[in-house]
Amino acid sequence: MAKHETPLLDQLESGPWPSFVSDMKLEAEVRAKNEAGIEFQVPVDVVDDLLGVLELSYVHGRTHWKHGGIVGVFGYGGGVIGRYCDQPEMFPGVAHFHTVRVAQPAGKYYKAEYLRQLMDIWQMRGSGMTNMHGSTGDIIFLGTRTEQLEEIFYELTHNLNTDLGGSGSNLRTPADCIGSSRCEFACYDTNALCHFLTNQYQDELHRPAFPYKFKFKFDGCPNGCVASIARSDMSFIGTWKDDIRIDQEAVQAYIGGEIAPNGGAFKGRDWGAFDIQKEVIDLCPTECMWMEGKELKIDNKECNRCMHCINAMPRALRVGQETGLSILVGAKAPILDGQQMGSLLAPFVEVNPEDDYSAVTEVIESIWDWWMEEGKNRERLGELIRRAGFQKMLEVTGIAADPRHVSEPRCNPYIFWKEDEVPGGWERDVKEYRKHHKR
């Protein structure tokens, strides 16, 4: 029998989709039976009490969690997120409910044995509930008590050779897509770069010393499978410099129905014959594609790398051969100053896993030096860029202004000009323009 009545949570199980409530109830039941004979180091009814406090939050329309900041462990300044319930007498099982981030490997490649070892630790010393994976990328262990943190940290580091993930005002655990290890679209080795920067900046992961958090994310191509353009202060997105490769015979095979479009993802749906004009050419955002007789043509200088045509006809179209990455900066979630997408900083950087990635680390460290000097408390990089101006970002990194930096070209073409750099004959016109087009 359930420890707490949860009529509101029960409603969440009534729909057609899998429910986290059902999973929690199942975990509570497994812990109560304890058929594996585990010596639980936290209250056996921790999940029951979690259901109870969540039900109470729904009843009251507000949270019953207090944020406890960062709970430290010996030798690691960031990594454990403190969480306490404001109703400990009613729900003693979750009086402490700290969240432990476990650093994920590049590409999130695991052995089954390793995952079982992780779960053995967590079943014994935590709630048994996990999030695979959190928005930062880490494995998330949801809920344990303060006295278990050192034990968990010791077992992770000494027995599993695994680090905690970043928390607090520090570098968060870098996260990447599977990249060239499994994906034909990848334009650079995301796993290699993610692994390198994770090792290179371990001190920044372990020691909160920044104005606020800082995230790296690595997308192997513009499809953005880890959504780096929206979820990281510095995103690395694979791209190419030359033309999209076209196999004209394969194009005709798609048109003739010999090859299913979209990699066969929708072949079970009766949408009729593939129409290249309607499904590919007309959907090109820059209208840079057309058919000449039986040949597909692309004006590559107008292509903005949206990937739609390549996704629709992957056997006919492929990314170019001169590959590398673009660096974007300033994305963030809507905490202090609203949500922001990343802004293009370096249009193309050639990367090679055999080199020392100095082209990337020099940009990173010049940005950190400026941000740590000028950033306010809890001010993300994107907010500092908005406050100081993108021109300052270019000065800091030494990257030359480029037409591709201009986010609103028809609104303010003088975005990268300083008044003392504008020839005297233009000063009056620039001031007049700024008077009527304030940003």
Side-chain angles (χ1 to χ4, degrees):
M1 181 177 176
K3 181 178 179 181
H4 304 284
E5 293 186 2
T6 56
L8 296 179
L9 292 182
D10 294 345
Q11 292 182 28
L12 298 179
E13 298 181 275
S14 61
W17 306 106
S19 171
F20 73 94
V21 175
S22 300
D23 288 343
M24 291 171 66
K25 288 181 178 179
L26 178 60
E27 180 65 21
E29 183 180 342
V30 168
R31 291 179 69 87
K33 292 179 179 178
N34 193 18
E35 294 177 352
I38 299 170
E39 295 182 12
F40 294 121
Q41 301 298 300
V42 300
V44 66
D45 57 356
V46 55
V47 183
D48 293 289
D49 278 355
L50 182 60
L51 287 163
V53 73
L54 183 57
E55 177 76 15
L56 189 65
S57 294
Y58 283 6
V59 170
H60 291 167
R62 61 182 177 86
T63 183
H64 283 287
W65 295 108
K66 302 183 293 184
H67 196 300
I70 300 298
V71 184
V73 291
F74 185 73
Y76 198 109
V80 180
I81 305 166
R83 195 78 66 185
Y84 301 91
C85 177
D86 68 1
Q87 302 292 324
E89 297 83 8
M90 190 180 300
F91 308 106
V94 293
H96 301 194
F97 201 75
H98 306 317
T99 295
V100 180
R101 285 178 170 149
V102 180
Q104 81 279 7
K108 300 182 178 68
Y109 284 107
Y110 304 104
K111 291 183 177 179
E113 178 188 6
Y114 171 77
L115 292 176
R116 291 190 186 99
Q117 290 171 329
L118 281 181
M119 294 307 105
D120 287 344
I121 294 171
W122 192 236
Q123 286 287 351
M124 176 181 178
R125 301 192 178 279
S127 69
M129 296 193 303
T130 64
N131 178 359
M132 302 284 287
H133 294 79
S135 60
T136 296
D138 310 280
I139 292 177
I140 305 297
F141 283 173
L142 290 164
T144 191
R145 294 185 60 83
T146 304
E147 57 268 22
Q148 293 303 313
L149 296 179
E150 290 289 355
E151 303 290 344
I152 293 168
F153 185 47
Y154 184 91
E155 293 198 47
L156 289 175
T157 54
H158 289 70
N159 298 333
L160 297 186
N161 197 28
T162 297
D163 203 354
L164 292 180
S167 292
S169 296
N170 63 349
L171 175 64
R172 298 301 178 85
T173 320
D176 65 326
C177 69
I178 58 176
S180 52
S181 63
R182 289 292 300 275
C183 180
E184 62 185 300
F185 297 155
C187 297
Y188 72 101
D189 191 337
T190 57
N191 300 162
L193 183 55
C194 181
H195 180 72
F196 172 81
L197 293 181
T198 301
N199 289 325
Q200 179 77 5
Y201 297 120
Q202 276 296 295
D203 195 53
E204 284 73 18
L205 265 162
H206 287 206
R207 300 285 179 266
F210 290 162
Y212 202 18
K213 56 189 167 184
F214 195 97
K215 297 182 180 182
F216 291 141
K217 293 192 188 298
F218 308 87
D219 278 314
C221 77
N223 275 325
C225 291
V226 294
S228 67
I229 193 172
R231 300 169 58 232
S232 61
D233 301 88
M234 199 165 186
S235 64
F236 303 84
I237 302 177
T239 188
W240 62 93
K241 290 176 67 174
D242 54 341
D243 295 347
I244 294 174
R245 289 174 281 170
I246 306 176
D247 182 338
Q248 298 292 353
E249 290 186 6
V251 170
Q252 290 305 310
Y254 278 104
I255 293 173
E258 299 166 39
I259 304 175
N262 301 291
F266 308 112
K267 63 182 179 182
R269 304 187 185 185
D270 186 15
W271 287 347
F274 175 67
D275 185 338
I276 191 171
Q277 184 69 39
K278 178 181 177 182
E279 298 180 42
V280 177
I281 295 174
D282 290 348
L283 296 179
C284 176
T286 60
E287 301 179 354
C288 71
M289 308 179 69
W290 69 96
M291 294 294 295
E292 282 187 9
K294 291 188 176 182
E295 287 198 351
L296 177 66
K297 299 291 185 180
I298 301 176
D299 184 1
N300 280 275
K301 70 178 184 299
E302 295 295 330
C303 173
N304 69 355
R305 313 293 195 271
C306 78
M307 295 293 291
H308 172 70
C309 62
I310 296 175
N311 293 333
M313 302 190 297
R315 290 174 63 178
L317 302 175
R318 298 182 70 85
V319 302
Q321 294 179 305
E322 294 182 54
T323 58
L325 58 83
S326 298
I327 299 176
L328 291 86
V329 291
K332 58 178 287 294
I335 298 176
L336 293 183
D337 196 30
Q339 191 169 13
Q340 295 175 206
M341 297 283 278
S343 298
L344 180 65
L345 177 62
F348 187 85
V349 177
E350 186 175 349
V351 291
N352 185 340
E354 296 177 0
D355 66 22
D356 60 358
Y357 294 115
S358 59
V360 171
T361 57
E362 288 174 5
V363 174
I364 292 171
E365 290 169 19
S366 63
I367 289 174
W368 281 351
D369 288 344
W370 174 56
W371 181 48
M372 286 191 286
E373 181 71 24
E374 301 292 339
K376 298 178 181 179
N377 186 40
R378 295 182 70 82
E379 182 177 52
R380 295 285 288 273
L381 176 64
E383 292 160 343
L384 175 59
I385 293 172
R386 289 184 63 175
R387 179 165 63 86
F390 201 81
Q391 171 72 34
K392 183 65 176 178
M393 169 63 72
L394 295 177
E395 291 177 8
V396 164
T397 57
I399 294 174
D402 185 287
R404 287 167 290 189
H405 289 141
V406 182
S407 59
E408 301 173 48
R410 292 173 179 80
C411 174
N412 184 358
Y414 306 107
I415 186 170
F416 296 121
W417 290 14
K418 294 181 178 179
E419 290 195 16
D420 57 357
E421 295 175 349
V422 178
W426 289 89
E427 289 182 0
R428 184 190 68 250
D429 295 339
V430 172
K431 290 179 180 178
E432 191 69 20
Y433 184 92
R434 287 178 173 166
K435 184 189 302 181
H436 297 290
H437 297 80
K438 293 181 178 179
R439 288 181 64 81

